[in-house]
Amino acid sequence: MTSNSTNPSLRIFAAAALALAAALAGAPTDAEAQSTAPAAAQAEAAPPGSADNPHVVEVEAEDYAFRIPAEINSGWTTFRFANQGEEHHFLFITQLPVDVGYDAFVEQIVMPFNDVWYDLRDGRMTADEAMPALSEELPEWYWGVDFMGGVGFLAPGASAEATVYLEPGQYVVECYMRTPDGEIHSMEGMLDPLTVTAEPSEGSPPPAALQIVLSEEGMALDGLPQPGLNTFEVHWADHPEGTFGHDVQVLRVDNETTVDDVLHWMNFLNLEALTEPAPGSFVGGITPMPAGSTAYFAAELEPGRYILASQYTSHLGVLTEFTVEAR
Ligand SMILES: [Cu+2]
């Protein structure tokens, strides 16, 4: 394994994570920069899944567990995720390398993250020291795993969907929000193996009136979200080296909440991040996927001001905002 002094991936990521705030001043926040052409009314598009549709996997979150099948079919799969807890949750999906099992993932990845978090939380380590410490602990293979697009941050009581194409294999689902006591949800029980079988799901991609392209250039939103259920098609044009990749988190905010507030809360190196209270109401989104991927998410939007943010690559200016107008 590469030492932390020569591991470019982690160095870049650590620098990037710490440079978040500095980069924010120039981040694009003007909805005017986005396309103003109204998207086709979402009401005309079929919902991305229905109860009799074999590609829908119902997942429920409570404080602190998932209710999710242990085994699902491969191919296009819609995760319909309902947060029945009193804290924010999300569904982060990682595909394991063929020679790495669930137990090894827990021991080699989840535990080191937790140990470093405890050191940060309890003041034994500074944020500057956290990423180098992780680089010493995490195996090199971790930086080659595929994150496979689960459902983004979701406020208590909310529901959202993500539709992704999954190859047969072994996966892990987790949520790493933090409890008010500073415990990571995965360590409290929100960590499960998921087997994707060779049996085809017979699912298909949902119709989507809105498109998002994620790249190092930023987050480009094409179309104007409407009140109600909005389905977004998301394309990952790249995966910046040394980062976890682009994700999309959608949250409704009041007029006083700044993009800085949101990104500060999303940066796991900050002690008050990823726990209640959140800087707004997260309504869904999609977690990172490999470069070249296309996937979908559906979120229920009521009128208001929204920010689309990326947890890991926001330092690249990967965020935008829009307003949903009442009909
Ligand atoms: Cu959680």
Side-chain angles (χ1 to χ4, degrees), residues 64 87-90 92 113 117 120 152-154 175-186 247 249 261-279 282 310-312:
Y64 304 98
E87 298 179 21
H88 279 73
H89 296 293
F90 64 113
F92 192 93
F113 264 102
W117 162 242
L120 255 178
F153 300 167
L154 204 53
C175 170
Y176 48 85
M177 288 288 174
R178 299 169 189 154
T179 73
D181 294 334
E183 301 291 342
I184 300 176
H185 287 188
S186 53
D247 57 339
Q249 309 291 349
D261 296 336
V262 174
L263 294 175
H264 183 86
W265 188 85
M266 288 169 56
N267 182 348
F268 73 96
L269 293 174
N270 295 319
L271 298 187
E272 55 285 339
L274 300 174
T275 191
E276 309 301 321
F282 283 90
S310 180
Q311 185 178 10
Y312 298 119

Side-chain angles (χ1 to χ4, degrees), residues 238-259:
D238 57 37
H239 182 134
E241 187 188 349
T243 76
F244 288 87
H246 307 290
D247 57 339
V248 183
Q249 309 291 349
V250 184
L251 76 163
R252 186 162 45 82
V253 291
D254 61 26
N255 288 330
E256 282 70 50
T257 302
T258 66
V259 169

Side-chain angles (χ1 to χ4, degrees), residues 69-291:
E71 202 174 278
I72 62 173
N73 294 346
S74 51
W76 284 107
T77 302
T78 295
F79 292 93
R80 182 180 290 153
F81 187 58
N83 183 358
Q84 299 179 342
E86 296 184 348
E87 298 179 21
H88 279 73
H89 296 293
F90 64 113
L91 183 75
F92 192 93
I93 302 175
T94 302
Q95 182 172 15
L96 296 177
V98 287
D99 54 350
V100 175
Y102 173 76
D103 291 345
F105 182 84
V106 173
E107 181 186 334
Q108 296 178 36
I109 308 299
V110 178
M111 296 308 296
F113 264 102
N114 195 57
D115 290 346
V116 167
W117 162 242
Y118 277 177
D119 284 343
L120 255 178
R121 182 194 70 177
D122 299 339
R124 293 187 294 273
M125 186 182 282
T126 66
D128 288 1
E129 295 164 336
M131 289 309 297
L134 266 178
S135 82
E136 283 182 17
E137 298 296 328
L138 296 175
E140 198 68 23
W141 62 258
Y142 182 64
W143 302 100
V145 302
D146 286 333
F147 303 125
M148 289 308 296
V151 181
F153 300 167
L154 204 53
S159 296
E161 296 181 353
T163 300
V164 299
Y165 190 94
L166 297 179
E167 300 286 353
Q170 295 299 320
Y171 293 74
V172 171
V173 298
E174 59 186 313
C175 170
Y176 48 85
M177 288 288 174
R178 299 169 189 154
T179 73
D181 294 334
E183 301 291 342
I184 300 176
H185 287 188
S186 53
M187 300 299 293
E188 300 294 293
M190 303 192 81
L191 176 66
D192 288 297
L194 176 67
T195 299
V196 176
T197 70
E199 188 78 20
S201 71
E202 297 175 5
S204 54
L210 302 156
Q211 283 79 37
I212 293 174
V213 176
L214 301 170
S215 74
E216 296 206 45
E217 305 300 310
M219 181 187 289
L221 169 65
D222 189 17
L224 194 61
Q226 303 293 318
L229 184 70
N230 288 258
T231 301
F232 297 76
E233 177 185 275
V234 183
H235 180 68
W236 282 258
D238 57 37
H239 182 134
E241 187 188 349
T243 76
F244 288 87
H246 307 290
D247 57 339
V248 183
Q249 309 291 349
V250 184
L251 76 163
R252 186 162 45 82
V253 291
D254 61 26
N255 288 330
E256 282 70 50
T257 302
T258 66
V259 169
D260 293 40
D261 296 336
V262 174
L263 294 175
H264 183 86
W265 188 85
M266 288 169 56
N267 182 348
F268 73 96
L269 293 174
N270 295 319
L271 298 187
E272 55 285 339
L274 300 174
T275 191
E276 309 301 321
S281 183
F282 283 90
V283 296
I286 192 160
T287 62
M289 292 196 75

